[in-house]
Amino acid sequence: MGCVRRLERELAPDEADVTLVTPFSYQLYLPLLPQVASGVLTPQSIAVSLRRSRKYRTRIIPGGAIGVDLKAKVCVIRTITDEIVDEPFDYIVLAPGSVTRTFDIPGLTDNAFGMKTLAEAAYVRDHVISQLDLADASQDPAERASRLQFVVVGGGYAGTETAACLQKLTHAAVKRYPRLDPALIKWHLIDIAPKLMPELGDKLGSSAQEILKRRGIDISLGVSIAKAGPEEVTFTDGRVVPTRTLIWTAGVVASPLISTLGAETVRGRLAVTADMALPGQDGVFALGDAAAVPDEAKGEEGSICPPTAQHAMRQGKHVADNVIATLRGRGTTPYVHKDLGLVVDLGGRDAVSKPLGVELRGLPAQAVARGYHWSALRTNVAKTRVMTNWVLNAIAGDDFVRTGFQARKPAKLKDFEYTDAYLTPEQVEAHVAGTERQD
């Protein structure tokens, strides 16, 4: 969105036609998804409509790019009605983001939930509250115990914030269920790494761990999942936890779209130059989680920008400037941004933050975390909604309404990200060649 907005402002209407390919009609601010899952924020608070601007002249194709033929300069798109269309281009900016990283673990994709899309966050909230409702109604102690245990895999920011926010939700909700013993509600946070959020450093990481343990969250490090079933999860240390809720947040990988290009990659991300251009290709740029953009600010050989919103939002505007420079025959400039630090919102008054290297805990850290997220939202309407939600939640507390999003049909990780929709490089080439013959 940052790229599109900059192109619209800087390019004259007769200078270029701008097309945006996206399956969703909004820009999502991902770092606040755990707060949507816990009900602190409403979904529309962090989903900014693409059509708010009256000056908006970009053509939007509602669908996802499933392949790109760089030689023919054609983007293959699957629309939201499953129609396959081809879109030719002169310049293309690839910003497909990332998908949840999974491993070949039996039952994982069939039984785990993710935390990568707005639909997943809303679905997980409904699911967690429904487990309390079903446990309260059940006469079977074994069923009740399994519904009241929750497992989150991934000790990074997404997993830690998800476990923290949802644990606060269930802790507050159980007071409305007099038939349930609060001691039966157990949250497990596990990660194969030896430390929780190692990027924060030892002290802040330990502080976050202590906060979660104080709330009763069981943290297991050096542990992952060996097998996932519909009613139990087996850890790699041999423990079997009866649960109906497995939330998988163990990292991300670049969108499968990148593999359709047949271009060089770095740890799965498209290898690009410092000005975010694809070497050897005219008019092809990439940014965000899907691109291995060199981190020039670090000045270290081989270092690339981390897949965070902080970098992606700035890269969008910078890549637009480079597209415009290329279009007008001028030189491009490298992307340089010094990381501003890290913020982790653990819900309520709990947070740890490291802005510009300064370690903060408690309310000061919470103020920095929420202040940063609030300032990063693109529109005043979004900022107003988020601030109103925060104030209302602080005054009135949580609500425990199920919206009916589940609609009785189970939906797990594999059903939200459509990772099986992409073509291979050979399929892309064959499809484009076949379409050209028909024309």
Side-chain angles (χ1 to χ4, degrees):
M1 275 307 299
C3 176
V4 167
R5 290 289 190 237
R6 182 68 64 94
L7 291 174
E8 285 186 319
R9 285 196 300 269
E10 300 298 329
L11 291 173
D14 60 351
E15 195 173 3
D17 295 320
V18 183
T19 299
L20 175 63
V21 180
T22 174
F24 307 113
S25 60
Y26 54 80
Q27 178 192 19
L28 180 64
Y29 187 68
L30 277 167
L32 290 177
L33 270 185
Q35 294 191 36
V36 172
S38 64
V40 173
L41 299 177
T42 57
Q44 65 267 36
S45 300
I46 65 169
V48 180
S49 172
L50 301 183
R51 300 183 184 273
R52 284 201 64 85
S53 173
R54 294 179 181 177
K55 298 179 181 179
Y56 199 51
R57 61 183 175 90
T58 295
R59 171 177 168 238
I60 300 177
I61 299 179
I66 58 173
V68 177
D69 189 327
L70 296 177
K71 293 181 182 178
K73 285 189 173 288
V74 171
C75 180
V76 183
I77 302 161
R78 188 190 301 274
T79 69
I80 57 175
T81 55
D82 275 339
E83 180 186 0
I84 304 296
V85 297
D86 294 345
E87 186 70 18
F89 62 85
D90 297 305
Y91 297 87
I92 188 169
V93 176
L94 299 164
S98 56
V99 297
T100 302
R101 179 182 60 183
T102 58
F103 299 98
D104 190 19
I105 299 172
L108 178 62
T109 57
D110 292 324
N111 296 295
F113 301 101
M115 189 57 65
K116 197 76 175 67
T117 68
L118 195 61
E120 280 178 310
Y123 190 96
V124 166
R125 172 175 167 76
D126 257 17
H127 171 80
V128 168
I129 296 174
S130 72
Q131 297 312 297
L132 299 179
D133 289 340
L134 291 166
D136 182 64
S138 176
Q139 301 295 329
D140 181 358
E143 178 190 354
R144 181 176 290 189
S146 71
R147 292 194 183 281
L148 295 180
Q149 291 210 69
F150 307 89
V151 178
V152 179
V153 182
Y157 307 112
T160 302
E161 290 186 336
T162 297
C165 291
L166 287 173
Q167 185 275 336
K168 283 193 71 69
L169 173 69
T170 55
H171 178 75
V174 75
K175 298 172 185 176
R176 311 292 178 91
Y177 295 84
R179 297 180 66 250
L180 292 182
D181 180 1
L184 290 177
I185 298 180
K186 296 179 181 178
W187 280 87
H188 302 266
L189 176 61
I190 72 172
D191 194 275
I192 195 66
K195 296 179 181 179
L196 204 64
M197 297 180 293
E199 298 89 346
L200 283 174
D202 291 341
K203 291 183 179 179
L204 279 185
S206 297
S207 295
Q209 195 165 327
E210 286 303 316
I211 290 170
L212 299 182
K213 284 183 176 179
R214 193 165 60 242
R215 290 194 198 165
I217 297 177
D218 180 65
I219 299 174
S220 300
L221 300 175
V223 176
S224 189
I225 297 293
K227 184 171 62 174
E231 297 183 10
E232 65 178 28
V233 170
T234 304
F235 292 178
T236 51
D237 62 5
R239 282 180 292 164
V240 178
V241 176
T243 182
R244 311 291 179 98
T245 309
L246 171 61
I247 302 174
W248 180 268
T249 63
V252 296
V253 293
S255 166
L257 178 66
I258 297 305
S259 64
T260 72
L261 276 66
E264 182 185 352
T265 59
V266 177
R267 287 176 288 197
R269 300 166 71 181
L270 189 64
V272 295
T273 59
D275 59 359
M276 292 175 281
L278 183 62
Q281 299 289 338
D282 293 329
V284 180
F285 298 84
L287 62 95
D289 292 11
V293 180
D295 194 344
E296 295 286 293
K298 277 191 175 180
E300 299 174 6
E301 185 70 25
S303 63
I304 59 177
C305 296
T308 62
Q310 182 180 150
H311 281 285
M313 292 171 69
R314 290 165 175 78
Q315 288 171 1
K317 296 176 182 178
H318 193 94
V319 81
D321 290 337
N322 282 345
V323 169
I324 294 168
T326 305
L327 180 65
R328 294 174 177 172
R330 300 199 306 261
T332 58
T333 58
Y335 168 77
V336 182
H337 170 67
K338 186 176 181 180
D339 204 300
L340 297 177
L342 307 165
V343 294
V344 182
D345 190 333
L346 300 174
R349 298 182 176 183
D350 294 325
V352 290
S353 300
K354 197 175 182 179
L356 302 175
V358 180
E359 296 187 350
L360 300 173
R361 299 167 181 79
L363 281 176
Q366 182 68 280
V368 169
R370 294 200 170 182
Y372 175 79
H373 290 317
W374 184 82
S375 65
L377 294 167
R378 191 173 60 82
T379 67
N380 289 329
V381 171
K383 290 179 179 179
T384 302
R385 281 178 175 160
V386 166
M387 184 59 72
T388 302
N389 285 170
W390 280 338
V391 172
L392 186 61
N393 181 261
I395 296 173
D398 297 301
D399 71 81
F400 316 108
V401 175
R402 278 190 291 119
T403 62
F405 191 81
Q406 291 189 84
R408 296 180 178 271
K409 182 181 179 182
K412 299 298 169 67
L413 196 149
K414 66 175 184 177
D415 299 307
F416 285 101
E417 299 190 35
Y418 309 107
T419 52
D420 58 349
Y422 296 86
L423 304 178
T424 65
E426 293 75 23
Q427 288 173 326
V428 172
E429 189 174 345
H431 169 80
V432 173
T435 303
E436 289 177 344
R437 283 196 297 271
Q438 291 176 9
D439 294 343

